[in-house]
Amino acid sequence: MSTNERWFPGHLKELSEAECLEQLGEHHVGRVAYCDQDGPVVIPVNYVVEGRSVLLRLSPHATLASHLRSADASFQIDEFDDYTQSGWSVLLRGHATYVDVADHPAAADLIPWAEGQRSLLVRIAAREITGRRLLPA
Amino acid sequence: MSTNERWFPGHLKELSEAECLEQLGEHHVGRVAYCDQDGPVVIPVNYVVEGRSVLLRLSPHATLASHLRSADASFQIDEFDDYTQSGWSVLLRGHATYVDVADHPAAADLIPWAEGQRSLLVRIAAREITGRRLLPA
């Protein structure tokens, strides 16, 4: 079936916050987003969930880290299936701050895939968590 | 091998713009990002590439559309493999505008998965296209 033969596109359904948190808890890579003077920047990172927050480990010298010291930021995950043309996405919108590793034991489970001295722990605390599921047509 | 046994995290390598455009051309779903008063918003959408731009079909009544009338916006794609802890990502940063379908024949190949009257064509024209590959450790 080519995409041109699809007469009945898929339905979008809102996810509850509990469903969003469940998806966040089951994955290890997502995308952090921030805004600079030229608009949004979206960067994949490893993460762990802690309550209604996500924790990231960054290099303190990275451009990304400098934008997350105290800033509005978002964290996004999703998954799609080309064959059934369906999927889901979760968006956590909140505020990013630097936090102390000693205060966040969940960070022990956060092992970034990428190399580098990632000694800085950043928390994005949710103001709002939303998600949608695109059901197969 | 548990992630805790990984002593040699993966290397990050910059992608050329040509490599980024090649990846953009091979995929059908990505993420559009814009900034509102509360920070960045990241939303999955279907797209097609046209030169150094991406084209999206949106409902003219959607919140997303209202933020892309003439605004700094980004478009992001990526792919990761949990087993090898490797992957790649591409970020196109630019400016979004509404465009006329008649002027953009590439839009004929753009069939959104989600339902709805998606009569509005939005182009995000690149100011900058960057990408990175995370090689397995």
Side-chain angles (χ1 to χ4, degrees):
Chain A
M1 184 177 77
S2 95
T3 52
N4 291 304
E5 289 162 10
R6 290 172 50 82
W7 295 355
F8 304 108
H11 294 277
L12 281 169
K13 181 183 162 292
E14 300 293 318
L15 299 182
S16 69
E17 183 170 306
E19 289 173 303
C20 292
L21 285 168
E22 193 180 326
Q23 291 287 10
L24 281 166
E26 286 173 3
H27 293 81
H28 311 289
V29 185
R31 300 154 199 102
V32 59
Y34 65 88
C35 297
D36 71 13
Q37 71 283 357
D38 296 320
V41 174
V42 183
I43 307 275
V45 286
N46 292 103
Y47 74 101
V48 289
V49 176
E50 184 194 60
R52 293 182 80 246
S53 299
V54 294
L55 300 174
L56 320 176
R57 271 187 193 277
L58 304 177
S59 161
H61 312 298
T63 305
L64 177 56
S66 69
H67 286 280
L68 300 177
R69 182 181 293 275
S70 174
D72 288 326
S74 296
F75 191 78
Q76 195 266 2
I77 59 169
D78 60 35
E79 216 164 60
F80 292 94
D81 181 68
D82 272 346
Y83 184 73
T84 60
Q85 302 197 340
S86 61
W88 56 266
S89 64
V90 169
L91 180 63
L92 179 159
R93 302 190 72 188
H95 197 80
T97 48
Y98 295 178
V99 292
D100 195 321
V101 175
D103 299 331
H104 298 276
D109 297 328
L110 175 54
I111 317 284
W113 293 357
E115 66 189 343
Q117 174 73 21
R118 293 171 182 262
S119 56
L120 180 68
L121 191 65
V122 171
R123 177 177 59 181
I124 306 177
R127 195 169 45 230
E128 177 186 274
I129 304 176
T130 55
R132 297 192 301 177
R133 183 176 295 282
L134 177 62
L135 303 170
Chain B
M1 186 176 75
S2 94
T3 52
N4 292 305
E5 289 162 11
R6 290 172 49 82
W7 295 353
F8 304 107
H11 294 277
L12 281 169
K13 180 182 162 294
E14 300 293 319
L15 300 182
S16 68
E17 183 170 307
E19 289 173 302
C20 292
L21 286 168
E22 193 181 326
Q23 292 287 12
L24 281 167
E26 286 173 4
H27 294 80
H28 310 290
V29 185
R31 299 154 200 102
V32 58
Y34 65 88
C35 296
D36 70 12
Q37 71 283 359
D38 296 320
V41 174
V42 184
I43 307 275
V45 286
N46 291 103
Y47 75 100
V48 289
V49 177
E50 184 194 59
R52 292 182 81 245
S53 299
V54 295
L55 300 174
L56 320 176
R57 271 186 192 279
L58 304 177
S59 161
H61 311 297
T63 306
L64 177 56
S66 70
H67 286 279
L68 299 178
R69 182 182 292 275
S70 174
D72 289 327
S74 295
F75 191 79
Q76 194 265 3
I77 59 170
D78 60 35
E79 216 164 60
F80 292 94
D81 182 68
D82 272 345
Y83 185 71
T84 59
Q85 302 197 341
S86 61
W88 57 266
S89 64
V90 169
L91 180 64
L92 179 158
R93 302 191 72 190
H95 197 81
T97 48
Y98 295 178
V99 292
D100 194 322
V101 176
D103 299 331
H104 297 277
D109 297 327
L110 175 53
I111 316 284
W113 293 356
E115 66 189 343
Q117 175 72 22
R118 292 170 182 262
S119 56
L120 179 68
L121 191 65
V122 171
R123 177 178 58 181
I124 307 177
R127 196 170 45 232
E128 176 185 274
I129 304 176
T130 54
R132 297 192 302 177
R133 183 176 295 282
L134 176 62
L135 303 170

